[in-house]
Amino acid sequence: MTMELDDFKQAWQELDRRLERQEALQRRMFRDGKLDKVRRGLRPLAWGQAIQLALGVIFAAWGGAFLADHRQVPHLLICGLLVNACGLLFIISAARNLYLIQRIDYAAPVLEIQRRLADLHAWRLSVEGPANAVIACFIWIPVLWMSLAEHGFDLWTYDKVGFLLWSLSSSVVGLVMVVLAARLMRRLGHARALEDSAVGRSVRNAEAILREITRFEQG
């Protein structure tokens, strides 16, 4: 009887160990599958940043070449400097995004991955989003001025003050409208949609998947 009980206990313990190994394997497979989905989901964002990086190089090179060719004309020199600076900002912003994406270690604990993703979230929401809004409202002015100058038409010669005041006023009005629209969306309860737009769908989906992994592991 004692031997039968011992055999039964050993069999039960072995079964328990097998169940634990099977459960651990299932958890690992679930985690790896979801993390692979996170990795693939962030690829479009990385591709977009690579395109932005290339665009930044083009802007920086165009602005640098333009200001070198027009360094004797102050207003055209300023336009070249602004476009060159815009290109550099595009490069820095894209490089920062790519760095934050690259530093995510999918072999690390989920909490650490969430922290790395939170850094990417904060950068895109608090720095890149507002900076892009300002650049989008104003960069068209030096771009237009340079494009016309390269075709032999200098707006400064045509109208020294009128066009500049009108374009700057239009850009300021556009920026104010963007700010007011953002505030209105927050008041109407659409702050989440506004934040999603700034952060990007790829990051949001990745955060949701990580929360799903956390719930599964805790359950």
Side-chain angles (χ1 to χ4, degrees), residues 176-209:
V176 170
M177 291 180 64
V178 170
V179 173
L180 292 177
R183 290 184 177 180
L184 179 61
M185 288 185 66
R186 289 191 179 95
R187 289 185 179 181
L188 294 176
H190 300 299
R192 181 61 180 272
L194 186 65
E195 183 175 340
D196 289 349
S197 176
V199 173
R201 181 180 298 177
S202 296
V203 177
R204 277 301 194 186
N205 289 342
E207 291 173 331
I209 293 172

Side-chain angles (χ1 to χ4, degrees), residues 126-137:
S126 303
V127 180
E128 186 180 28
N132 285 343
V134 174
I135 292 174
C137 288

Side-chain angles (χ1 to χ4, degrees), residues 143-163:
V143 167
L144 176 62
W145 214 304
M146 286 171 54
S147 299
L148 292 176
E150 288 186 337
H151 289 82
F153 185 78
D154 189 349
L155 284 170
W156 188 260
T157 303
Y158 175 74
D159 186 357
K160 292 185 176 181
V161 180
F163 175 78

